Amino acid sequence: MVAFFEYIPLIVFFVFYKMFDVFIATGALIVTSALHLVVMKATGKPILNRHWIFFGLIAVFGGLTIFFHDDTFIKWKVTIINGFFGVALLVSKYAFNKNLLESFMGEQLKLPDAIWSKFNLAWVGFFFTCAFLNLYIAFSFDQETWVNFKVFGLTGLTFAFAIVSIMSIYKYIPQDEAESSTQDKIEK
């Protein structure tokens, strides 16, 4: 449910785009993103750094889009966010010797360091691919194609990649002690 809640600004952007235009939709995106933070604060949910980063980028690039009446700014936001995540994963791993994905998921998943490194690099590649794909679609196709790609294409790609990446590490996840002992009893 929390994941769905985070997609509400994107849904509002899409609906307002279909009803009006990209500039009104961008204004709605900014307002909805701000309301998202207000609701999180009011309900006592933690506001993570990524929420502030997303909001900051939406406010700056969305504001520039509206002020200059030029959709180029909002199109760049998607590439910058994906590029930021790719760079953050690379820098944290190779400059600070800290795997951010392992930090976020390490309590739930116990994997060998080599697998965490591959998992991290796979996500780096994914984020950079999305960043470049967004640029290509944003500046090679019409605005409606880009909006559809931003809302449905990137969301679908992210879910698909998450599923594939989890499936690829599934074989490395140690079985729970309880499952192992149950299986041993069944075999005897």
Side-chain angles (χ1 to χ4, degrees):
M1 188 65 173
V2 173
F4 173 76
F5 186 64
E6 290 186 7
Y7 280 95
I8 289 176
L10 182 63
I11 294 166
V12 168
F13 173 83
F14 182 74
V15 169
F16 273 70
Y17 175 78
K18 290 298 185 182
M19 291 173 49
F20 303 103
D21 64 18
V22 73
F23 305 107
I24 292 174
T26 300
L29 177 66
I30 295 168
V31 169
T32 309
S33 298
L35 287 174
H36 177 233
L37 294 177
V38 168
V39 168
M40 288 178 70
K41 183 76 171 169
T43 58
K45 291 184 174 45
I47 300 174
L48 305 174
N49 287 339
R50 71 180 167 93
H51 294 126
W52 289 113
I53 291 168
F54 282 165
F55 177 71
L57 289 171
I58 289 167
V60 169
F61 285 91
L64 291 170
T65 296
I66 294 167
F67 183 78
F68 289 109
H69 209 69
D70 183 352
D71 67 351
T72 302
F73 297 103
I74 199 71
K75 288 177 178 178
W76 270 99
K77 177 195 68 78
V78 177
T79 292
I80 290 170
I81 286 175
N82 280 291
F84 172 80
F85 283 141
V87 167
L89 291 176
L90 278 176
V91 169
S92 67
K93 174 66 178 153
Y94 295 105
F96 300 107
N97 200 26
K98 182 176 177 121
N99 188 318
L100 288 179
L101 294 178
E102 184 178 4
S103 296
F104 293 140
M105 301 167 56
E107 289 184 23
Q108 293 86 11
L109 295 172
K110 302 296 181 206
L111 301 171
D113 288 340
I115 302 305
W116 276 118
S117 291
K118 288 179 183 177
F119 192 64
N120 189 64
L121 285 175
W123 277 95
V124 167
F126 174 75
F127 285 129
F128 286 150
T129 299
C130 287
F132 289 115
L133 194 55
N134 178 70
L135 281 180
Y136 174 70
I137 291 173
F139 297 106
S140 298
F141 295 92
D142 63 5
Q143 186 182 77
E144 185 160 348
T145 301
W146 173 75
V147 168
N148 287 328
F149 170 74
K150 175 188 181 326
V151 174
F152 300 110
L154 283 176
T155 302
L157 283 172
T158 302
F159 283 128
F161 188 78
I163 290 168
V164 168
S165 64
I166 294 297
M167 288 172 51
S168 70
I169 63 168
Y170 182 77
K171 62 185 172 187
Y172 299 103
I173 299 172
Q175 285 188 343
D176 196 341
E177 293 292 328
E179 290 179 17
S180 296
S181 62
T182 304
Q183 185 65 26
D184 291 341
K185 288 177 185 175
I186 292 171
E187 290 175 359
K188 292 179 182 179

